[in-house]
Amino acid sequence: MSVQHVAEGISPFLKELIEDTPKGERIMHCLQCGSCGGSCPNSADMDHTPRKLFAMIMANQRNEVLAANTQWCCVSCYLCTTRCPQEIPITDLMYALKRMAIAEGKSGGTNAPALAKTFTDLVDRYGRSYELGIAGLYHLLNRPVAMAKMGPMGLSMFAKGRMAILPTKIDKIDQLQAIINKARELSK
Amino acid sequence: MKYAYYPGCSMECNAAAYELSTQAVAKSLDFELVELEDWNCCGATEYFSQDELTASAVVARNLALVAPEMDQLVAPCAACYCNLAKVDKMMGEDAEMNGKINTALKAGGLAYEAGRVKIRYLLDVIYRDFGEEGVKAKMQQSLEGLRIAPYYGCQAVRPIKREDDTEYPMQMDELFSWLGAEVVDFPVKAHCCGGHMTQISEPQAFEMIRRILQSAVDYKADMILCMCPMCQLNLDGYQSRVSSYADKEFNMPIIYFTQMLGLAFGLNPKDLGFGKELVPALPTIEAKLK
Ligand code: SF4
Ligand code: SF4
């Protein structure tokens, strides 16, 4: 089904989401079966399960959906996606909701957007990423208290030579940045 | 055998043990991993939460760097594999995105034709290209006596269905059965380790890690073998914090499957990066191995 095909008579928010998600139009086939929420390792912590979120999207509840923590609880494990009987790209829809929430400054009460921004900036600058999983820079910048708490683990990782201060820089960073700038221009 | 190789950022430092043991095992099996020149980060999950097209173009630069005479690209990290394979597939299916990504690549003097390169994860290469015969031929030391829990994590087996099951993969199970180890029927083998959730919500992340460690304890595994730097970091690096969180003393060694494979091939533990894990694995291995 093409985007044009479903564009008539549907919630504007749904239309917006479909346009921002590869194969997003599959969401139109949601059966509300709940298999996604039942599979999700984090559904217990979500404001709304993916199934409920999709119903809210159909009902055009844009603000409520973008303010929810649901998309930020998603760790991209793809279990819901491979299980969905309707082949709805649920994980990719979660990614799209994250992007739309970020664009509106909504974070569902988490620091995930700040984390994504820190990470993306590093890649843009160096071409490689910092060991985000071990915190460090991100925590220093954003959560100094949490950084202090993880002290011992950070120290052991240092002692084992598993933690770097900064990422290495690729040689052709100019080439990567030219690609990035062009892509940003096209995605506007 | 020659494969183009995309190590990914973790292999440089945090997962040095995976890199060392990968190279050592490749040498034993007599295949060559030719590192992509000047590769860049795969974008992890974070870049895709910011900007889909730019993230895809960042990933595609790596695909474009694969030398023309090479047609297979191997990634040891599950997250890198997932992003590389997903972008390649998306470019093949979505003409508009393909066009935009190639326009962006062109700004850097590059181009990529979707489907030109077959993207694979390391376990699959060893399992399928060398198989039982190839692997057994290199065995110097049986792994009899060891009970291992094979842990695949999520992004190598999902969302792209290739050669193994998306929920109950078996390649690692079989590989280590060939080598004499006792492989436990690990129910959480393809569950998620939590990824970067440790940086967002510790209680959520620690609960995900706890479930995996507890399952390995319940199944009386001596250790967990993994195939992704993120999984190893979460299960090993955070294990002491998870112990405090769960009020239970976990002492479960977490090593890369290539390290164990190297031991079976008779290689020196030092050359396989043993000792970099925070929960020491060698004492358990020495005590259990027959
Ligand atoms: S599993 Fe698929 S069809 Fe079922 S509720 Fe979730 S998205 Fe809808
Ligand atoms: S991909 Fe996200 S929403 Fe789907 S099961 Fe995994 S964590 Fe839950």
PDB file of all heavy atoms in Angstrom, chain A residues 79-110:
ATOM      1  N   LEU A  79      12.446  -7.677  18.956  1.00  0.00           N
ATOM      2  CA  LEU A  79      11.650  -8.876  19.212  1.00  0.00           C
ATOM      3  C   LEU A  79      10.192  -8.657  18.784  1.00  0.00           C
ATOM      4  O   LEU A  79       9.584  -9.516  18.144  1.00  0.00           O
ATOM      5  CB  LEU A  79      11.730  -9.257  20.701  1.00  0.00           C
ATOM      6  CG  LEU A  79      11.177 -10.636  21.050  1.00  0.00           C
ATOM      7  CD1 LEU A  79      11.858 -11.732  20.229  1.00  0.00           C
ATOM      8  CD2 LEU A  79      11.355 -10.931  22.537  1.00  0.00           C
ATOM      9  N   CYS A  80       9.669  -7.472  19.104  1.00  0.00           N
ATOM     10  CA  CYS A  80       8.292  -7.173  18.706  1.00  0.00           C
ATOM     11  C   CYS A  80       8.165  -7.211  17.178  1.00  0.00           C
ATOM     12  O   CYS A  80       7.182  -7.715  16.639  1.00  0.00           O
ATOM     13  CB  CYS A  80       7.892  -5.797  19.225  1.00  0.00           C
ATOM     14  SG  CYS A  80       9.034  -4.493  18.741  1.00  0.00           S
ATOM     15  N   THR A  81       9.175  -6.675  16.508  1.00  0.00           N
ATOM     16  CA  THR A  81       9.128  -6.569  15.050  1.00  0.00           C
ATOM     17  C   THR A  81       9.096  -7.940  14.386  1.00  0.00           C
ATOM     18  O   THR A  81       8.305  -8.192  13.479  1.00  0.00           O
ATOM     19  CB  THR A  81      10.353  -5.774  14.551  1.00  0.00           C
ATOM     20  OG1 THR A  81      10.298  -4.469  15.133  1.00  0.00           O
ATOM     21  CG2 THR A  81      10.369  -5.649  13.039  1.00  0.00           C
ATOM     22  N   THR A  82       9.962  -8.852  14.839  1.00  0.00           N
ATOM     23  CA  THR A  82       9.983 -10.168  14.194  1.00  0.00           C
ATOM     24  C   THR A  82       8.763 -10.997  14.594  1.00  0.00           C
ATOM     25  O   THR A  82       8.412 -11.944  13.908  1.00  0.00           O
ATOM     26  CB  THR A  82      11.280 -10.948  14.490  1.00  0.00           C
ATOM     27  OG1 THR A  82      11.527 -10.942  15.889  1.00  0.00           O
ATOM     28  CG2 THR A  82      12.463 -10.325  13.782  1.00  0.00           C
ATOM     29  N   ARG A  83       8.094 -10.619  15.703  1.00  0.00           N
ATOM     30  CA  ARG A  83       6.923 -11.380  16.134  1.00  0.00           C
ATOM     31  C   ARG A  83       5.606 -10.835  15.606  1.00  0.00           C
ATOM     32  O   ARG A  83       4.601 -11.544  15.621  1.00  0.00           O
ATOM     33  CB  ARG A  83       6.851 -11.402  17.661  1.00  0.00           C
ATOM     34  CG  ARG A  83       7.749 -12.440  18.257  1.00  0.00           C
ATOM     35  CD  ARG A  83       7.459 -12.566  19.734  1.00  0.00           C
ATOM     36  NE  ARG A  83       8.320 -13.570  20.346  1.00  0.00           N
ATOM     37  CZ  ARG A  83       8.397 -13.778  21.648  1.00  0.00           C
ATOM     38  NH1 ARG A  83       7.674 -13.043  22.460  1.00  0.00           N
ATOM     39  NH2 ARG A  83       9.187 -14.710  22.120  1.00  0.00           N
ATOM     40  N   CYS A  84       5.587  -9.583  15.210  1.00  0.00           N
ATOM     41  CA  CYS A  84       4.308  -8.962  14.813  1.00  0.00           C
ATOM     42  C   CYS A  84       3.692  -9.736  13.648  1.00  0.00           C
ATOM     43  O   CYS A  84       4.311  -9.904  12.602  1.00  0.00           O
ATOM     44  CB  CYS A  84       4.519  -7.499  14.411  1.00  0.00           C
ATOM     45  SG  CYS A  84       3.025  -6.755  13.707  1.00  0.00           S
ATOM     46  N   PRO A  85       2.446 -10.224  13.821  1.00  0.00           N
ATOM     47  CA  PRO A  85       1.822 -11.019  12.754  1.00  0.00           C
ATOM     48  C   PRO A  85       1.547 -10.191  11.495  1.00  0.00           C
ATOM     49  O   PRO A  85       1.313 -10.750  10.436  1.00  0.00           O
ATOM     50  CB  PRO A  85       0.518 -11.505  13.391  1.00  0.00           C
ATOM     51  CG  PRO A  85       0.229 -10.520  14.483  1.00  0.00           C
ATOM     52  CD  PRO A  85       1.569 -10.061  14.987  1.00  0.00           C
ATOM     53  N   GLN A  86       1.580  -8.871  11.618  1.00  0.00           N
ATOM     54  CA  GLN A  86       1.263  -7.995  10.491  1.00  0.00           C
ATOM     55  C   GLN A  86       2.506  -7.342   9.884  1.00  0.00           C
ATOM     56  O   GLN A  86       2.392  -6.405   9.086  1.00  0.00           O
ATOM     57  CB  GLN A  86       0.258  -6.911  10.928  1.00  0.00           C
ATOM     58  CG  GLN A  86      -1.112  -7.459  11.310  1.00  0.00           C
ATOM     59  CD  GLN A  86      -1.839  -8.062  10.132  1.00  0.00           C
ATOM     60  OE1 GLN A  86      -1.461  -9.117   9.611  1.00  0.00           O
ATOM     61  NE2 GLN A  86      -2.866  -7.387   9.664  1.00  0.00           N
ATOM     62  N   GLU A  87       3.661  -7.820  10.258  1.00  0.00           N
ATOM     63  CA  GLU A  87       4.920  -7.302   9.714  1.00  0.00           C
ATOM     64  C   GLU A  87       5.013  -5.778   9.807  1.00  0.00           C
ATOM     65  O   GLU A  87       5.424  -5.095   8.870  1.00  0.00           O
ATOM     66  CB  GLU A  87       5.124  -7.780   8.273  1.00  0.00           C
ATOM     67  CG  GLU A  87       5.310  -9.285   8.218  1.00  0.00           C
ATOM     68  CD  GLU A  87       5.468  -9.822   6.809  1.00  0.00           C
ATOM     69  OE1 GLU A  87       5.727  -9.025   5.886  1.00  0.00           O
ATOM     70  OE2 GLU A  87       5.333 -11.041   6.639  1.00  0.00           O
ATOM     71  N   ILE A  88       4.633  -5.284  10.952  1.00  0.00           N
ATOM     72  CA  ILE A  88       4.739  -3.836  11.193  1.00  0.00           C
ATOM     73  C   ILE A  88       6.156  -3.558  11.735  1.00  0.00           C
ATOM     74  O   ILE A  88       6.598  -4.235  12.671  1.00  0.00           O
ATOM     75  CB  ILE A  88       3.647  -3.393  12.197  1.00  0.00           C
ATOM     76  CG1 ILE A  88       2.266  -3.612  11.556  1.00  0.00           C
ATOM     77  CG2 ILE A  88       3.841  -1.934  12.619  1.00  0.00           C
ATOM     78  CD1 ILE A  88       1.108  -3.515  12.507  1.00  0.00           C
ATOM     79  N   PRO A  89       6.860  -2.610  11.139  1.00  0.00           N
ATOM     80  CA  PRO A  89       8.241  -2.344  11.596  1.00  0.00           C
ATOM     81  C   PRO A  89       8.227  -1.538  12.898  1.00  0.00           C
ATOM     82  O   PRO A  89       8.544  -0.348  12.913  1.00  0.00           O
ATOM     83  CB  PRO A  89       8.843  -1.538  10.441  1.00  0.00           C
ATOM     84  CG  PRO A  89       7.674  -0.843   9.806  1.00  0.00           C
ATOM     85  CD  PRO A  89       6.471  -1.731  10.025  1.00  0.00           C
ATOM     86  N   ILE A  90       7.828  -2.209  13.985  1.00  0.00           N
ATOM     87  CA  ILE A  90       7.570  -1.512  15.257  1.00  0.00           C
ATOM     88  C   ILE A  90       8.816  -0.762  15.749  1.00  0.00           C
ATOM     89  O   ILE A  90       8.736   0.392  16.165  1.00  0.00           O
ATOM     90  CB  ILE A  90       7.082  -2.528  16.323  1.00  0.00           C
ATOM     91  CG1 ILE A  90       5.826  -3.241  15.801  1.00  0.00           C
ATOM     92  CG2 ILE A  90       6.808  -1.828  17.652  1.00  0.00           C
ATOM     93  CD1 ILE A  90       5.398  -4.425  16.630  1.00  0.00           C
ATOM     94  N   THR A  91       9.975  -1.427  15.675  1.00  0.00           N
ATOM     95  CA  THR A  91      11.204  -0.789  16.166  1.00  0.00           C
ATOM     96  C   THR A  91      11.501   0.481  15.373  1.00  0.00           C
ATOM     97  O   THR A  91      11.899   1.500  15.949  1.00  0.00           O
ATOM     98  CB  THR A  91      12.391  -1.771  16.055  1.00  0.00           C
ATOM     99  OG1 THR A  91      11.966  -3.053  16.526  1.00  0.00           O
ATOM    100  CG2 THR A  91      13.578  -1.299  16.868  1.00  0.00           C
ATOM    101  N   ASP A  92      11.301   0.424  14.071  1.00  0.00           N
ATOM    102  CA  ASP A  92      11.546   1.611  13.247  1.00  0.00           C
ATOM    103  C   ASP A  92      10.528   2.719  13.551  1.00  0.00           C
ATOM    104  O   ASP A  92      10.856   3.903  13.477  1.00  0.00           O
ATOM    105  CB  ASP A  92      11.499   1.256  11.753  1.00  0.00           C
ATOM    106  CG  ASP A  92      12.674   0.378  11.347  1.00  0.00           C
ATOM    107  OD1 ASP A  92      13.690   0.369  12.079  1.00  0.00           O
ATOM    108  OD2 ASP A  92      12.594  -0.308  10.311  1.00  0.00           O
ATOM    109  N   LEU A  93       9.306   2.323  13.888  1.00  0.00           N
ATOM    110  CA  LEU A  93       8.313   3.327  14.289  1.00  0.00           C
ATOM    111  C   LEU A  93       8.745   3.985  15.605  1.00  0.00           C
ATOM    112  O   LEU A  93       8.579   5.195  15.791  1.00  0.00           O
ATOM    113  CB  LEU A  93       6.934   2.676  14.434  1.00  0.00           C
ATOM    114  CG  LEU A  93       6.253   2.304  13.105  1.00  0.00           C
ATOM    115  CD1 LEU A  93       5.130   1.299  13.334  1.00  0.00           C
ATOM    116  CD2 LEU A  93       5.702   3.541  12.394  1.00  0.00           C
ATOM    117  N   MET A  94       9.330   3.175  16.499  1.00  0.00           N
ATOM    118  CA  MET A  94       9.838   3.736  17.762  1.00  0.00           C
ATOM    119  C   MET A  94      10.954   4.744  17.472  1.00  0.00           C
ATOM    120  O   MET A  94      11.038   5.796  18.099  1.00  0.00           O
ATOM    121  CB  MET A  94      10.373   2.623  18.677  1.00  0.00           C
ATOM    122  CG  MET A  94       9.306   1.706  19.216  1.00  0.00           C
ATOM    123  SD  MET A  94       8.193   2.579  20.342  1.00  0.00           S
ATOM    124  CE  MET A  94       6.855   1.415  20.425  1.00  0.00           C
ATOM    125  N   TYR A  95      11.823   4.385  16.528  1.00  0.00           N
ATOM    126  CA  TYR A  95      12.890   5.326  16.140  1.00  0.00           C
ATOM    127  C   TYR A  95      12.291   6.631  15.621  1.00  0.00           C
ATOM    128  O   TYR A  95      12.749   7.728  15.956  1.00  0.00           O
ATOM    129  CB  TYR A  95      13.773   4.727  15.035  1.00  0.00           C
ATOM    130  CG  TYR A  95      14.941   3.899  15.512  1.00  0.00           C
ATOM    131  CD1 TYR A  95      15.173   2.616  15.026  1.00  0.00           C
ATOM    132  CD2 TYR A  95      15.869   4.421  16.422  1.00  0.00           C
ATOM    133  CE1 TYR A  95      16.262   1.853  15.434  1.00  0.00           C
ATOM    134  CE2 TYR A  95      16.965   3.663  16.836  1.00  0.00           C
ATOM    135  CZ  TYR A  95      17.158   2.377  16.337  1.00  0.00           C
ATOM    136  OH  TYR A  95      18.245   1.634  16.744  1.00  0.00           O
ATOM    137  N   ALA A  96      11.260   6.514  14.778  1.00  0.00           N
ATOM    138  CA  ALA A  96      10.632   7.717  14.217  1.00  0.00           C
ATOM    139  C   ALA A  96      10.003   8.555  15.321  1.00  0.00           C
ATOM    140  O   ALA A  96      10.103   9.782  15.316  1.00  0.00           O
ATOM    141  CB  ALA A  96       9.594   7.318  13.170  1.00  0.00           C
ATOM    142  N   LEU A  97       9.369   7.882  16.303  1.00  0.00           N
ATOM    143  CA  LEU A  97       8.767   8.622  17.417  1.00  0.00           C
ATOM    144  C   LEU A  97       9.849   9.328  18.237  1.00  0.00           C
ATOM    145  O   LEU A  97       9.653  10.439  18.720  1.00  0.00           O
ATOM    146  CB  LEU A  97       7.950   7.681  18.301  1.00  0.00           C
ATOM    147  CG  LEU A  97       6.656   7.154  17.662  1.00  0.00           C
ATOM    148  CD1 LEU A  97       6.036   6.067  18.529  1.00  0.00           C
ATOM    149  CD2 LEU A  97       5.650   8.286  17.432  1.00  0.00           C
ATOM    150  N   LYS A  98      11.001   8.663  18.372  1.00  0.00           N
ATOM    151  CA  LYS A  98      12.116   9.313  19.084  1.00  0.00           C
ATOM    152  C   LYS A  98      12.519  10.588  18.350  1.00  0.00           C
ATOM    153  O   LYS A  98      12.709  11.639  18.955  1.00  0.00           O
ATOM    154  CB  LYS A  98      13.326   8.367  19.162  1.00  0.00           C
ATOM    155  CG  LYS A  98      13.165   7.205  20.133  1.00  0.00           C
ATOM    156  CD  LYS A  98      14.375   6.261  20.059  1.00  0.00           C
ATOM    157  CE  LYS A  98      14.146   5.012  20.903  1.00  0.00           C
ATOM    158  NZ  LYS A  98      15.223   4.037  20.838  1.00  0.00           N
ATOM    159  N   ARG A  99      12.641  10.489  17.035  1.00  0.00           N
ATOM    160  CA  ARG A  99      13.063  11.670  16.251  1.00  0.00           C
ATOM    161  C   ARG A  99      12.040  12.807  16.366  1.00  0.00           C
ATOM    162  O   ARG A  99      12.402  13.967  16.543  1.00  0.00           O
ATOM    163  CB  ARG A  99      13.225  11.280  14.778  1.00  0.00           C
ATOM    164  CG  ARG A  99      14.386  10.331  14.516  1.00  0.00           C
ATOM    165  CD  ARG A  99      14.697  10.236  13.027  1.00  0.00           C
ATOM    166  NE  ARG A  99      13.688   9.508  12.279  1.00  0.00           N
ATOM    167  CZ  ARG A  99      13.687   8.188  12.076  1.00  0.00           C
ATOM    168  NH1 ARG A  99      14.652   7.435  12.603  1.00  0.00           N
ATOM    169  NH2 ARG A  99      12.748   7.612  11.356  1.00  0.00           N
ATOM    170  N   MET A 100      10.743  12.430  16.300  1.00  0.00           N
ATOM    171  CA  MET A 100       9.714  13.468  16.391  1.00  0.00           C
ATOM    172  C   MET A 100       9.694  14.080  17.780  1.00  0.00           C
ATOM    173  O   MET A 100       9.518  15.306  17.931  1.00  0.00           O
ATOM    174  CB  MET A 100       8.344  12.868  16.046  1.00  0.00           C
ATOM    175  CG  MET A 100       8.234  12.504  14.562  1.00  0.00           C
ATOM    176  SD  MET A 100       6.892  11.341  14.245  1.00  0.00           S
ATOM    177  CE  MET A 100       5.609  12.435  13.859  1.00  0.00           C
ATOM    178  N   ALA A 101       9.900  13.264  18.808  1.00  0.00           N
ATOM    179  CA  ALA A 101       9.916  13.788  20.179  1.00  0.00           C
ATOM    180  C   ALA A 101      11.105  14.727  20.367  1.00  0.00           C
ATOM    181  O   ALA A 101      10.968  15.816  20.920  1.00  0.00           O
ATOM    182  CB  ALA A 101       9.970  12.634  21.184  1.00  0.00           C
ATOM    183  N   ILE A 102      12.269  14.323  19.876  1.00  0.00           N
ATOM    184  CA  ILE A 102      13.465  15.160  19.990  1.00  0.00           C
ATOM    185  C   ILE A 102      13.224  16.513  19.322  1.00  0.00           C
ATOM    186  O   ILE A 102      13.535  17.566  19.878  1.00  0.00           O
ATOM    187  CB  ILE A 102      14.710  14.456  19.384  1.00  0.00           C
ATOM    188  CG1 ILE A 102      15.181  13.342  20.321  1.00  0.00           C
ATOM    189  CG2 ILE A 102      15.845  15.461  19.136  1.00  0.00           C
ATOM    190  CD1 ILE A 102      16.376  12.549  19.820  1.00  0.00           C
ATOM    191  N   ALA A 103      12.598  16.462  18.133  1.00  0.00           N
ATOM    192  CA  ALA A 103      12.352  17.701  17.393  1.00  0.00           C
ATOM    193  C   ALA A 103      11.472  18.661  18.187  1.00  0.00           C
ATOM    194  O   ALA A 103      11.531  19.871  18.014  1.00  0.00           O
ATOM    195  CB  ALA A 103      11.715  17.387  16.043  1.00  0.00           C
ATOM    196  N   GLU A 104      10.674  18.102  19.096  1.00  0.00           N
ATOM    197  CA  GLU A 104       9.787  18.962  19.890  1.00  0.00           C
ATOM    198  C   GLU A 104      10.302  19.160  21.299  1.00  0.00           C
ATOM    199  O   GLU A 104       9.587  19.658  22.170  1.00  0.00           O
ATOM    200  CB  GLU A 104       8.402  18.309  19.961  1.00  0.00           C
ATOM    201  CG  GLU A 104       7.858  17.997  18.611  1.00  0.00           C
ATOM    202  CD  GLU A 104       6.449  18.515  18.421  1.00  0.00           C
ATOM    203  OE1 GLU A 104       5.709  18.616  19.406  1.00  0.00           O
ATOM    204  OE2 GLU A 104       6.116  18.817  17.258  1.00  0.00           O
ATOM    205  N   GLY A 105      11.522  18.717  21.537  1.00  0.00           N
ATOM    206  CA  GLY A 105      12.109  18.893  22.869  1.00  0.00           C
ATOM    207  C   GLY A 105      11.460  18.030  23.938  1.00  0.00           C
ATOM    208  O   GLY A 105      11.501  18.333  25.119  1.00  0.00           O
ATOM    209  N   LYS A 106      10.839  16.919  23.523  1.00  0.00           N
ATOM    210  CA  LYS A 106      10.196  16.038  24.510  1.00  0.00           C
ATOM    211  C   LYS A 106      11.085  14.829  24.785  1.00  0.00           C
ATOM    212  O   LYS A 106      11.649  14.245  23.864  1.00  0.00           O
ATOM    213  CB  LYS A 106       8.836  15.573  23.992  1.00  0.00           C
ATOM    214  CG  LYS A 106       7.840  16.718  23.848  1.00  0.00           C
ATOM    215  CD  LYS A 106       6.419  16.178  23.778  1.00  0.00           C
ATOM    216  CE  LYS A 106       5.383  17.262  23.979  1.00  0.00           C
ATOM    217  NZ  LYS A 106       5.009  17.933  22.725  1.00  0.00           N
ATOM    218  N   SER A 107      11.192  14.454  26.056  1.00  0.00           N
ATOM    219  CA  SER A 107      12.125  13.392  26.409  1.00  0.00           C
ATOM    220  C   SER A 107      11.489  12.293  27.243  1.00  0.00           C
ATOM    221  O   SER A 107      12.171  11.370  27.678  1.00  0.00           O
ATOM    222  CB  SER A 107      13.295  13.979  27.193  1.00  0.00           C
ATOM    223  OG  SER A 107      12.805  14.476  28.429  1.00  0.00           O
ATOM    224  N   GLY A 108      10.182  12.391  27.495  1.00  0.00           N
ATOM    225  CA  GLY A 108       9.520  11.382  28.323  1.00  0.00           C
ATOM    226  C   GLY A 108      10.150  11.289  29.712  1.00  0.00           C
ATOM    227  O   GLY A 108      10.092  10.249  30.355  1.00  0.00           O
ATOM    228  N   GLY A 109      10.777  12.389  30.144  1.00  0.00           N
ATOM    229  CA  GLY A 109      11.395  12.403  31.468  1.00  0.00           C
ATOM    230  C   GLY A 109      12.713  11.644  31.531  1.00  0.00           C
ATOM    231  O   GLY A 109      13.211  11.343  32.615  1.00  0.00           O
ATOM    232  N   THR A 110      13.296  11.316  30.392  1.00  0.00           N
ATOM    233  CA  THR A 110      14.575  10.598  30.399  1.00  0.00           C
ATOM    234  C   THR A 110      15.680  11.497  29.839  1.00  0.00           C
ATOM    235  O   THR A 110      15.412  12.555  29.290  1.00  0.00           O
ATOM    236  CB  THR A 110      14.512   9.341  29.497  1.00  0.00           C
ATOM    237  OG1 THR A 110      14.552   9.777  28.120  1.00  0.00           O
ATOM    238  CG2 THR A 110      13.248   8.538  29.723  1.00  0.00           C
TER     239      THR A 110
END
